[in-house]
């Protein structure tokens, strides 16, 4: 009886209370009809609870998400298929999809009767303003009797994942990072990845670049010999994301970390379209060993979709990995916060002679309270400028950005012909 009482709704408990009152009054005053009516009111909710509990219905749930990878702010359509795998028709029931809170309110819908072996499909739409890997399900089901006196809740297992990618801004620049020659932050020539060189030696011809003379072969043969590359080298770019909570301000979609993630995603997409082999340096790629691999843009976006701020214990490992990649050639793009002059000094050393170093230094105080709990005013008014100047003195192109700057604007300024006096 106790288990049945737990299935009663508020209406069912009211029926039981009213029935007991009428039954007692009927016995006391000798009204048999009133007593019978009271017994009926008591029995009806418990009969309903018994029917609800003993009725067995088996459902199979399948979810189809289209598309299963969307950008922040886009809609994803979910088709929820209910298949009745039992031998009886299902009752009318209320279903509630359990979602991560960032996907909005939980959708609720009434599902009509489903005959045996039949499928009913219900669609709903979700949208998120925060990137990440979010879960859909499990599904909560509520079955009631026709009078609403008893209800039974069940959970249908099964989940699906929806990946929300960071926002990718279309970028353009008045000058490509690898344009031009010289040592002032420009790539003097295309740098190949290890294993991509395919060089043969031939005799010198009039008009050949003297910088391509192969001196060991010249000394061995006594004639001028030059290197002949059979296929063009692939340009390399290293994109570094600062994961330190102390280096970022604000929270949620308006925080500096989300701005940095969107900037890295946009820059990586722009460089991949320009033919670069892009290496992403962030805690996730370092921990999984993928930092040394040139990733495709969809792989980069998948990583950036789930990346989160990490303690400063990861700084040293990330900078060591970035140092090895930068030493192999190519230019470096860093999106960093201003905290820690020692970290900025190590970052400045990543730029190799003859290559470019591009840095977006976040003015974290403009985004709000820092993520380690310190107030935004903890940074001095010239703190960001000091880090920018330190990077520029090391040959980097660097600018400070705040919450009012868009990613395309910051990139256009950073890749302009003149930044801080550096050509």
């Amino acid at each position: 009886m106790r288990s049945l009482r737990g299935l009663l709704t508020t209406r069912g408990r009211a029926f039981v209370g009213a029935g007991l009152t009428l039954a007692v009054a009927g016995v006391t005053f000798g009204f048999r009809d009133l007593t019978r009516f009271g017994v009926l009111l008591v029995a009806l909710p418990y009969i309903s609870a018994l029917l609800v509990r003993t009725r067995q219905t088996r459902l199979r749930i399948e979810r189809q998400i289209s598309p299963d990878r969307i950008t922040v702010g886009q809609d994803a359509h979910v088709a929820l298929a209910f298949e009745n795998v039992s031998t009886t028709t299902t009752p009318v029931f209320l279903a509630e999809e359990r979602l991560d809170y960032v996907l909005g309110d939980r959708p609720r819908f009434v599902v009509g009767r489903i005959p045996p072996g039949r499928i009913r499909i219900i669609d709903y739409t979700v949208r998120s303003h925060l990137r990440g890997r979010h879960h859909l399900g499990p599904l909560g089901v509520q079955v009631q009797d026709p009078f609403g006196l008893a209800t039974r809740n069940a959970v249908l297992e099964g989940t699906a994942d929806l990946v929300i990618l960071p926002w990718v801004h279309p970028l353009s620049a008045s000058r490509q990072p690898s344009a031009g020659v010289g040592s002032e932050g420009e790539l003097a020539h295309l740098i190949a990845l290890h294993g991509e060189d395919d060089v043969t030696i031939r005799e010198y011809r009039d008009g050949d670049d003297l910088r391509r003379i192969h001196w060991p072969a010249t000394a061995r043969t006594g004639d001028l010999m030059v290197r002949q590359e059979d296929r063009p080298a692939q340009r390399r770019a290293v994109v570094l994301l600062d994961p330190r909570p102390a280096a970022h301000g604000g929270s949620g979609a308006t925080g500096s970390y989300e701005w940095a993630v969107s900037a890295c995603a946009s820059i990586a997409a722009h460089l991949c379209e320009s033919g670069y082999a892009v290496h992403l340096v962030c805690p996730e790629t370092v921990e999984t060993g993928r930092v040394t691999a040139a990733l495709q843009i969809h792989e980069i976006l998948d990583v950036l979709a789930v990346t989160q701020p990490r303690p400063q214990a990861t700084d040293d490992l990330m900078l060591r990995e970035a140092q090895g990649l930068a030493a192999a050639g190519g230019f470096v793009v860093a999106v960093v916060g201003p905290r820690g002059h020692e970290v900025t000094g190590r970052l400045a050393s990543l730029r190799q002679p003859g290559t470019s170093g591009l840095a977006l230094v976040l003015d974290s105080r403009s985004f709000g309270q820092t993520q380690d709990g310190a107030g935004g005013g903890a940074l001095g008014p010239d703190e960001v400028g000091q880090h920018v100047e330190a990077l520029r003195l090391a040959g980097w192109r660097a600018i400070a950005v705040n919450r009012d700057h868009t990613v395309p604007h910051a990139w256009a300024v950073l890749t302009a012909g003149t930044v801080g006096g550096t050509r």
Side-chain angles (χ1 to χ4, degrees), residues 44 93 114 122 400 423:
L44 186 59
F93 59 90
I114 306 175
I122 296 179
R423 290 181 59 84

Side-chain angles (χ1 to χ4, degrees), residues 282-367:
C282 68
E284 286 72 18
T285 56
V286 171
E287 292 171 356
T288 59
R290 303 175 67 191
V291 67
T292 57
L295 303 179
Q296 301 297 320
I297 184 57
H298 68 275
E299 298 174 306
I300 294 175
L301 294 179
D302 283 344
V303 173
L304 291 177
V306 298
T307 187
Q308 296 295 332
R310 298 294 181 88
Q312 297 187 8
T314 60
D315 294 349
D316 187 63
L317 182 58
M318 283 185 56
L319 288 173
R320 286 204 306 268
E321 295 286 355
Q323 185 72 48
L325 291 171
F331 73 97
V332 182
V333 182
V335 184
V336 296
R339 298 258 179 175
H341 289 281
E342 179 183 355
V343 175
T344 301
R346 295 183 63 185
L347 176 66
S349 66
L350 295 181
R351 191 189 74 85
Q352 303 298 309
T355 64
S356 295
L358 309 179
L360 296 170
V361 183
L362 302 167
D363 183 2
S364 58
R365 71 178 185 273
S366 69
F367 290 87

Side-chain angles (χ1 to χ4, degrees), residues 176-247:
Q176 291 294 332
S178 59
V181 295
S183 60
E184 296 181 350
E186 305 296 345
L187 286 178
H189 52 82
L190 302 184
I191 310 257
L193 295 171
H194 286 307
E196 292 179 337
D197 295 326
D198 190 1
V199 180
T200 58
I201 308 299
R202 62 171 175 80
E203 293 183 358
Y204 175 82
R205 300 171 186 170
D206 290 339
D208 284 339
D209 191 341
L210 294 179
R211 290 176 298 182
R212 302 176 70 86
I213 294 178
H214 193 273
W215 294 109
T218 298
R220 185 172 62 253
T221 62
D223 297 323
L224 282 176
M225 306 294 290
V226 297
R227 297 187 302 273
Q228 173 67 50
E229 294 184 2
D230 290 342
R231 57 180 179 178
Q234 187 176 13
R235 296 171 292 181
R236 178 198 298 267
V238 179
V239 178
L240 186 145
L241 172 64
D242 190 344
R244 300 170 298 163

